[in-house]
Amino acid sequence: MDGRRAANGLSIAQIGILAALYPAVWGAGQMLTGWWSDHIGRKHLITAGMLLQAAAIALVGAGTTFGVWATAQVLLGVGTALVYPTLLAVIGDVAHPAWRARAVGVYRLWRDGGFAVGALLAGVLADAFSLTTAIWAIAALTAASGLVVAVRMYETHPRT
């Protein structure tokens, strides 16, 4: 390592670790959470996952050290592992097999479109105010999504 440092004094190696933590935890975790949602239902895992993601994003906004950001990335990975396979399972629960593939496509269109709109919104907020403001806004939107799920979604999978 050549000793170069980025913002907040992080090394290139630390930045690499932070970048790897989230997908590693998400990927490994969803093997458990997909199975878990088949046993306890979908709604509560999605709600908990969205709220955990919101808290993790807020922790990124509040943090200034490697340890805080590493914790946030692990929590974000757990939250995403709770949400990602479970939302797809909801489609399997409610969509007739004849139109299930189309339903997944529509879900992905809206989900991926949300990523694009969210990135644009974050960019506008970061330019107009600050990067921290953008992060907090995304945390608030994610928390609002979790609360909407808690209030509006019905359980799609009977408990076994």
Side-chain angles (χ1 to χ4, degrees):
M1 186 164 73
D2 63 11
R4 290 185 291 178
R5 297 281 174 174
N8 290 59
L10 296 181
S11 70
I12 301 296
Q14 288 174 314
I15 293 168
I17 290 167
L18 291 175
L21 279 173
Y22 166 62
V25 172
W26 167 17
Q30 70 184 353
M31 290 188 285
L32 171 67
T33 58
W35 169 86
W36 195 19
S37 78
D38 288 340
H39 293 279
I40 69 163
R42 320 284 193 217
K43 178 180 177 172
H44 297 300
L45 292 181
I46 294 168
T47 300
M50 292 299 295
L51 295 176
L52 185 57
Q53 286 176 322
I57 294 166
L59 193 55
V60 169
T64 59
T65 65
F66 175 79
V68 170
W69 288 327
T71 300
Q73 294 308 297
V74 168
L75 293 174
L76 189 60
V78 171
T80 304
L82 287 166
V83 170
Y84 194 84
T86 311
L87 284 169
L88 289 169
V90 166
I91 294 170
D93 293 344
V94 301
H96 186 277
W99 51 271
R100 189 169 294 148
R102 191 172 321 142
V104 170
V106 170
Y107 160 74
R108 294 285 311 263
L109 170 73
W110 283 101
R111 189 199 69 179
D112 296 349
F115 287 152
V117 170
L120 290 172
L121 173 64
V124 168
L125 289 172
D127 285 346
F129 301 102
S130 70
L131 182 57
T132 302
T133 299
I135 292 169
W136 281 101
I138 298 305
L141 284 172
T142 304
S145 295
L147 294 175
V148 166
V149 168
V151 171
R152 300 280 307 170
M153 182 182 168
Y154 64 90
E155 181 57 58
T156 63
H157 189 272
R159 293 187 181 168
T160 55

